[in-house]
Amino acid sequence: MLSIKNLHVSVGDKPILKGINLEIKPGEIHAIMGPNGSGKSTLSHILSGKSGYTVTDGSASYQGKDLLDMAPEIRAREGVFLAFQYPVEIPGVSNVYLLKAALNSIRKHHGQSEVDAMDFLTLVKGKVRLLDMDEKFLYRAVNEGFSGGEKKRNEILQMAILEPKLCILDETDSGLDIDALKIVSEGVNSLRSPDRSFVMVTHYQRLLDYIKPDFVHVLAHGQIVKSGGPELALELEEKGYSWLEDAEASA
Amino acid sequence: MAVANSSQYLEAYADRFADLSEKSDSWLKQQRTEALGQFTATGFPKARDEEWRYTQLSALDKTLFLPAQKSASCAIDVEWLKNYQLADAWSIVLVDGFFSAELSQLDGLPAGVVVSSLAQSLADPKSALLIADKFNQAVNVDENGFVAFNSAYFADGVWVHIPAKQILAKPIQIVHVATQASVAINTRSIIVADEQSQVQLIETFVGLEGAYVSVSVAEVFVGQNADVTLYKVQVESEKALHFGGTYVKQARDARFRHDNFALGALIARSDVHTDLNQASECEFNGLYLGIKRQHSDNHTRINHLKPHGISRELYKGVLDDKARGVFQGRVVVAEDAQKTDSQMNNRNLLLSNDAEADTKPQLEIYADDVKCAHGVTVGQLDEKSIFYLQSRCVDEETARNMLTFAFANEMVDKVKIKSLHDVILGQVLLRFPQEGVNKEWL
């Protein structure tokens, strides 16, 4: 699904990622954890194509194609989905409009015709119910005036409708209370499938109580300093990040 | 002595003035004479007037726009007019400034509600008395040269009277249609909503091809605890010059909302002024779009005269090509207007290097216990939003178009009358980069 090899990324002259290696197979959930400033967000941004970063070395291939060479919208149409840490408010564009634009872009990309208006509504309303959202939500402007929880739920709704292959969740738990966290996690869990992979970038372990990862990687100073199973997250919760950073510094 | 840019108008309009003056009752004759004196002294506004510094009016000197004559309204294609005239509103149509009975649709107005030609109403002693009581009470002839010009030379217009406690089920639309080139169209509207009434009004300005001047002054009186919404849709022809002022007086607890869509004309200037009484509220919304060489000047004034008034204002501008947009918004809080709550915002989106936005919000506060805020932005599209849309499969150009449209659409979406919303949306889309904006999906 995704193969990252020796990836080096800088912002301006400043190296942020210093040789990331990561293999993600279909159906796997990988959690990327790490302290602030470790490069977690940079990793999710570079995978989704945000500008402002320079790849100085290494590669990332997605389904055998050079991911870093694709425009952000091509990545999205190919099935890469970034759930934003801070979803952007877009007054004047309704949720339903954006969903239709996005879905039809994907269909066009794959040589399919525009989705039928009725089928579309049936699809969207079904997903809205699944996420325990109000239908009125669809006709509101994208994220405008939404609470933190609503914004994150909206990201999951988009994900549910666009059916991506690789989902990158950037700090999805930040700003969520426990109820919202449950709903969002249930949404993500319902999307788990043998051919869909997830990369969850998170600072805290608590999201992993709800979404069980197959692998946990710890990012520090732009490198993966430790990888393991779900138990690694618990260890981090207990000890914090400093022991790993110290270990890396003394290595 | 007449100033340079008014003398040719004084001469060309002498017969018109004599004719109108002769037809007018003594009070109106006096008003016209006073206005003529004012116009003779000041002429049209000059760039050296602070309130007009961003708007060049030399076009009025270069061309002499003669008084519009009453033309046969059969020259108008009714099907074309349907693009602007709402089927689900009562409507009164003025063609080149003159009432057209055959194009107007006033059947079924509730008893007591008056929507009629101003000229006809002035000829009726009973309604003339009511009009005399209001004429030039919401604005002074020395406000600016156009108010003086309009007061001196208007031939017709609209008289609207909503009696107390009347709640109108349908909106009232005033359609100003220009069919002649090289003329000046002068209309005056007087709108009175008595206490506890509720009404939605629409003023639409539309023209066939050609250069003409439209000068329209509306005075609106919102009675105690009454609720008036006035939508202005300015889609004049692309060579037209449009000067329009809406001057409002709000009684105690009165609510007034004005939504201003300045989309057409080569040079357009709109003034919206209101005086707020105790605990009265106003909401001003505006959208000005500029393409090619359009110039759109939007001037608002909110006078908080008494305590507990609330005002909300949001004007947005989208400027492309060599267009220029101006926003001058002034909020004055009088010494007596304690507990005033006022917010004014102006946001401009520049789409080309040659486009220009001039924005001047002004707060003048003489009271000491008030909550007033204002904010202004002039900028380009937000890169974060563009990336967000890209990450949702939308290519960059489409994302830019969508966001540009969305910026404007925020104002269109505020229009709650469905048929009007659709007309405005269509007019906005006409003037926009369309790729990426799918009307069927909206």
Side-chain angles (χ1 to χ4, degrees), chain A residues 48-50 72-73 76-77 81-82 84 88 90-93 97-98 100-102 104-106 114 143 155 158, chain B residues 382 384-385 387-396 402-403 405-407 409-410 413 436-438 441-442:
Chain A
S48 52
K50 192 173 182 189
E73 65 271 20
R77 292 170 194 169
F81 184 94
L82 171 67
F84 282 62
V88 180
I90 307 186
V93 175
Y97 185 99
L98 176 58
K100 205 174 233 185
N104 279 325
S105 299
I106 293 175
E114 267 190 17
N143 295 323
E155 297 289 285
Q158 294 172 356
Chain B
D382 174 32
K384 274 190 201 141
S385 305
F387 176 65
Y388 188 76
L389 292 178
Q390 284 183 286
S391 76
R392 298 299 176 258
C393 312
V394 177
D395 67 85
E396 186 179 339
M402 261 171 87
L403 290 169
F405 170 75
F407 182 85
N409 194 39
E410 188 192 0
D413 265 351
V437 181
N438 190 325
W441 299 354
L442 291 169

Side-chain angles (χ1 to χ4, degrees), chain B residues 1-13 36-46 60-61 64 145 149 153:
Chain B
M1 204 193 84
V3 291
N5 77 358
S6 67
S7 57
Q8 57 169 342
Y9 282 86
L10 287 168
E11 206 180 304
Y13 280 67
L36 183 69
Q38 183 70 32
F39 181 65
T40 306
T42 64
F44 294 116
K46 317 285 180 301
L60 290 169
D61 298 336
L64 171 62
F149 181 74
Y153 301 122

